[in-house]
Amino acid sequence: MSQFSFCLKPLSTKWLPKLSEFRSDQGARRPIENLPVEVQVASDASTAELYHSLADASALSVHRLRVTKERDERLIPNSQEITIEGSGLEDESPAQVKDLGPQIPWRTVFIAEYLGPTLMPALFLFSLRPYLYYNFDTIPEPTNFQCLVCVLLTIHFLKRELESIFVHRFGNATMPLRNLFRNTGYYWVMAGFNIPYWVLRPDASTGRQPDSILLYTGIVLFTFGELANLNTHLILRNLRRAGTTERGIPSGFGFSVVTCPNYFFEIVAWTGMYIISGMSWSILLPTIIGGVQMAIWARKKESRYREEFGDTYKSKSFSMIPGII
């Protein structure tokens, strides 16, 4: 059986296009200590074995390491399914190794992100109401309509929590720990604080009886969007076997029209919530910001599907919203 030798060189956290340009800039992560100059791995071994060899030698978690080919900077995935030979590495191929820094499980990040927005609407509506709106002469009891909005916000984020625990299967086991504070901060501020603070105020539009047509339209859009979004997540879950990073071509309700129907149905649900809230800007703003970000992700996913599956994948003209994006 042939053996492959790889010249593995550390790379700073700051991504540079050429290894020859590497330098230890102020604030850049130090080169990986104890990283071997060469590693011998059987050609039919999995790339996961290469990662574990590097992790053992460097005393770092395997999830902290990112290995790329030096010649084209393409990622060598940490996979039990892909062999060294199948990854395109050749005998004595030079590779680059990057320390991604301390990691945290993706599932933990998702749970932390949605915890604040799940709990805060009810706290704002009841326990914290006298303290948040102390500057009002009188603070009336929450209206039935505000209670409805609180329930719908809680349902939305509780659904996300349950999906994070029981439905989602993640392509990567971990993400950089520093992203926890950025992601959690966004959700807790924009959705956890911003939305309930404004829509549950004593003088908010949600404190008045809404137009019946708008109310029912919003409820229908919200309910449809949430259920369709859940259905899409179940389809995506079943495409990936537990414990693997491999996935198939998604098909089913919505996938024949756009690349990421889960993002489209998310927008539908939030449009319903926006209508129910009396067109509150506090809901419109995060809907727009989230929509732009999801559109970027959807375009990247369409490109990835085309590259990964080739002619077996039916390309989509629209990645997120039919006829628009």
Side-chain angles (χ1 to χ4, degrees):
M1 183 181 300
S2 62
Q3 300 284 323
F4 286 174
S5 300
F6 306 108
C7 299
L8 299 167
K9 304 176 182 179
L11 191 67
S12 83
T13 298
K14 182 177 179 181
W15 184 257
L16 300 173
K18 295 180 180 178
L19 190 62
S20 60
E21 297 178 5
F22 170 76
R23 61 184 184 276
S24 297
D25 295 329
Q26 183 178 2
R29 195 179 306 278
R30 294 179 180 179
I32 302 173
E33 297 181 0
N34 304 321
L35 189 70
V37 176
E38 292 186 350
V39 172
Q40 290 192 334
V41 184
S43 59
D44 60 352
S46 68
T47 55
E49 185 173 328
L50 171 62
Y51 271 83
H52 283 287
S53 297
L54 294 171
D56 291 341
S58 60
L60 293 174
S61 166
V62 69
H63 300 300
R64 288 182 62 151
L65 302 179
R66 183 176 188 269
V67 184
T68 57
K69 303 174 189 176
E70 185 176 275
R71 65 173 182 271
D72 57 10
E73 298 178 357
R74 291 178 67 88
L75 175 68
I76 301 169
N78 178 8
S79 172
Q80 293 285 357
E81 309 293 330
I82 301 175
T83 64
I84 296 296
E85 188 173 28
S87 71
L89 285 170
E90 300 173 351
D91 192 23
E92 298 185 357
S93 294
Q96 298 172 342
V97 183
K98 181 180 179 181
D99 178 6
L100 298 175
Q103 300 288 296
I104 186 171
W106 270 91
R107 198 178 307 279
T108 302
V109 175
F110 274 41
I111 293 171
E113 286 176 355
Y114 305 140
L115 182 60
T118 300
L119 301 177
M120 291 168 79
L123 291 174
F124 279 31
L125 191 62
F126 299 109
S127 302
L128 299 179
R129 188 174 179 84
Y131 307 101
L132 291 171
Y133 310 116
Y134 66 91
N135 55 325
F136 284 83
D137 293 334
T138 58
I139 304 177
E141 291 296 315
T143 65
N144 291 336
F145 188 48
Q146 287 182 318
C147 291
L148 171 63
V149 172
C150 177
V151 168
L152 295 182
L153 286 171
T154 304
I155 287 174
H156 174 77
F157 287 105
L158 180 60
K159 166 183 168 290
R160 286 193 174 189
E161 288 279 36
L162 295 175
E163 287 174 338
S164 299
I165 298 172
F166 299 109
V167 176
H168 293 323
R169 287 176 177 166
F170 300 94
N172 296 315
T174 64
M175 69 184 298
L177 177 62
R178 62 182 179 275
N179 291 351
L180 170 66
F181 308 102
R182 180 195 64 193
N183 293 15
T184 302
Y186 171 80
Y187 278 100
W188 282 53
V189 172
M190 290 300 295
F193 179 85
N194 169 65
I195 293 178
Y197 177 82
W198 294 105
V199 301
L200 302 179
R201 280 170 59 95
D203 60 348
S205 58
T206 50
R208 301 183 295 272
Q209 182 64 35
D211 179 84
S212 297
I213 295 178
L214 289 178
L215 174 61
Y216 293 130
T217 299
I219 291 176
V220 168
L221 288 175
F222 176 83
T223 303
F224 170 77
E226 294 291 331
L227 293 177
N229 177 269
L230 172 61
N231 177 68
T232 306
H233 287 161
L234 292 173
I235 291 174
L236 292 172
R237 177 185 188 274
N238 293 330
L239 291 176
R240 176 175 286 147
R241 299 193 308 276
T244 73
T245 60
E246 306 304 315
R247 58 177 176 265
I249 298 176
S251 61
F253 183 64
F255 284 102
S256 61
V257 182
V258 295
T259 311
C260 300
N262 50 320
Y263 296 159
F264 171 61
F265 296 137
E266 180 84 3
I267 295 297
V268 169
W270 277 108
T271 300
M273 181 65 73
Y274 173 62
I275 294 173
I276 293 171
S277 71
M279 317 297 182
S280 173
W281 67 267
S282 66
I283 289 181
L284 179 62
L285 179 61
T287 301
I288 292 175
I289 295 174
V292 171
Q293 181 62 72
M294 287 188 289
I296 295 172
W297 289 337
R299 287 183 180 275
K300 289 182 178 179
K301 187 162 290 188
E302 173 66 19
S303 298
R304 189 162 66 246
Y305 283 162
R306 293 180 183 184
E307 179 180 356
E308 182 176 352
F309 298 116
D311 294 338
T312 60
Y313 174 70
K314 184 178 179 181
S315 301
K316 308 295 191 305
S317 299
F318 304 102
S319 56
M320 189 173 78
I321 301 178
I324 300 178
I325 302 175

